[in-house]
Amino acid sequence: MKRILIVGAGGQIGSELTAYLRKIYGGANVIATDVRECRSLGDDGPFAVLNALDPHSYGYTVNKYKVDAIFNLVALLSAVGEKDPQLAWNINMGALMNSLDIARQYGCALFTPSSIGAFGPSSPKDNTPQDTLMRPNTIYGVCKVTGELLSDYYFHKYGVDTRSVRFPGIISSETLPGGGTTDYAVEIFYDAVKTGRFVCPVSPDVYMDMMYMPDALAACVQLMEADPGRLVHRNSFNITAMSFTPEILLAEIRRHWPDLRMEYMIDPVKETIARSWPNSLDDSAAREEWGWKPEWKLPETVADMVRKIAARREAGEI
Ligand code: SER
């Protein structure tokens, strides 16, 4: 990767990936784009407003900056997708199809995240294998499985250098996720620091895979820089760093903030989705094919989040 385009850079992953990539590859070589103006993304490198659903502006931007790698981070997440499935399909698949075709046309490598949401109620729940039954029952999951198949297809038919990971819920302190089922694991820190109280939308005993942002960022670069000859999977790789329930997360946060109160008000959509996803993934294929190895477990993640969110509160940012 030398000249990188990030599409959907204003979101939870993109806002931190932009800064991370600029440190490694140089500010001028990482072009951040989003459908909305995002002032901070233009501070240390190029930023452009780009609607990924418009193939002409997308192709123009790739050509203008002589891009050789694209991160397609455009997505409507799982819970919000259920409110308007047709819109979710149009945005998620529209951005992906344009990314695949433009990557093919301009000879770019393409990273598109898949998700634990690609699995469904009939997938094995524990230690969910890399290659297994995938029949998700959300539109988000349907888009992710379709995207995985298309990534394979474009690799085999056209030689497009497609790469992907199935991200678990991502915990981060800079930009909130929006409309996902795993969002509770981020929102709890914000509410804890602001009100000392959190209302959790999923049951205390539901396990889901999670990861701290520094591991997610490292995964993006490691996979994109991996030797293509070693990559057997071109659809997507299971990756995970930890798996916990709301109850386990609460206990860990209370080691720092003992007064945090938590109540449960179950959101039926999120609850059904959470119960349909794996408890924990088997990420051995990623470890074997490109050396994936997470660094952040739950205690260190929580300690770091508590420190950062408290500092942002003190600075009046949240
Ligand atoms: N974090 C996403 C969601 O909850 C899953 O990839 O929708």
Side-chain angles (χ1 to χ4, degrees):
M1 289 195 290
K2 291 198 171 64
R3 302 275 287 173
I4 303 165
L5 179 73
I6 306 179
V7 187
Q12 187 199 11
I13 299 175
S15 56
E16 293 196 48
L17 185 64
T18 300
Y20 184 77
L21 292 177
R22 282 179 175 159
K23 278 204 190 99
I24 301 173
Y25 298 94
N29 294 321
V30 179
I31 299 92
T33 70
D34 199 90
V35 71
R36 284 178 216 92
E37 186 68 53
C38 303
R39 294 199 184 284
S40 57
L41 292 176
D43 287 350
D44 51 356
F47 173 82
V49 171
L50 173 66
N51 179 358
L53 302 185
D54 171 3
H56 301 292
S57 326
Y58 197 158
Y60 171 84
T61 309
V62 166
N63 189 36
K64 176 178 169 189
Y65 289 101
K66 303 284 168 264
V67 166
D68 67 359
I70 301 172
F71 284 83
N72 166 33
L73 304 180
V74 175
L76 223 71
L77 295 184
S78 58
V80 78
E82 292 309 293
K83 295 199 178 118
D84 192 342
Q86 290 72 23
L87 180 72
W89 174 270
N90 288 340
I91 291 178
N92 295 352
M93 297 313 299
L96 177 64
M97 280 309 292
N98 285 343
S99 300
L100 285 164
D101 283 328
I102 285 163
R104 177 185 168 209
Q105 193 180 341
Y106 292 96
C108 304
L110 175 63
F111 179 94
T112 304
S114 184
S115 158
I116 51 172
F119 296 103
S122 52
S123 308
K125 278 253 168 276
D126 296 304
N127 223 15
T128 307
Q130 169 70 32
D131 301 308
T132 188
L133 199 57
M134 300 178 83
R135 294 184 60 85
N137 55 9
T138 61
I139 192 67
Y140 178 71
V142 170
C143 292
K144 289 304 185 192
V145 172
T146 312
E148 289 195 20
L149 293 171
L150 282 167
S151 294
D152 256 346
Y153 185 80
Y154 270 66
F155 173 72
H156 289 293
K157 187 157 178 92
Y158 302 119
V160 176
D161 188 359
T162 51
R163 304 186 185 203
S164 171
V165 292
R166 293 178 185 138
F167 273 133
I170 295 179
I171 301 171
S172 67
S173 58
E174 295 307 306
T175 306
L176 274 163
T181 305
T182 56
D183 294 8
Y184 88 86
V186 185
E187 288 162 352
I188 187 171
F189 291 92
Y190 284 73
D191 287 6
V193 84
K194 286 193 220 164
T195 66
R197 175 174 171 265
F198 181 62
V199 180
C200 187
V202 295
S203 294
D205 62 341
V206 186
Y207 277 91
M208 284 186 279
D209 285 285
M210 302 277 177
M211 180 177 294
Y212 197 30
M213 185 62 93
D215 275 334
L217 300 177
C220 291
V221 170
Q222 272 168 29
L223 176 57
M224 290 304 275
E225 294 292 359
D227 172 1
R230 284 182 61 201
L231 301 180
V232 179
H233 292 87
R234 287 298 184 151
N235 56 328
S236 197
F237 287 94
N238 281 5
I239 58 169
T240 185
M242 59 191 111
S243 166
F244 56 73
T245 64
E247 209 168 28
I248 293 171
L249 178 60
L250 175 66
E252 192 61 42
I253 298 177
R254 275 192 179 147
R255 289 161 51 118
H256 304 267
W257 291 327
D259 298 333
L260 172 61
R261 283 177 296 131
M262 179 136 115
E263 288 152 42
Y264 290 89
M265 196 189 291
I266 303 306
D267 173 331
V269 174
K270 290 189 179 179
E271 176 75 5
T272 309
I273 296 174
R275 294 228 176 257
S276 78
W277 288 354
N279 294 336
S280 62
L281 297 185
D282 169 5
D283 61 5
S284 50
R287 290 172 187 263
E288 278 157 30
E289 291 177 39
W290 48 279
W292 160 246
K293 195 169 173 293
E295 308 245 315
W296 293 79
K297 291 288 182 201
L298 182 61
E300 304 90 73
T301 300
V302 167
D304 203 50
M305 279 294 284
V306 162
R307 193 173 56 76
K308 290 194 166 132
I309 295 291
R312 289 192 64 197
R313 180 71 177 167
E314 205 141 295
E317 289 174 22
I318 54 176

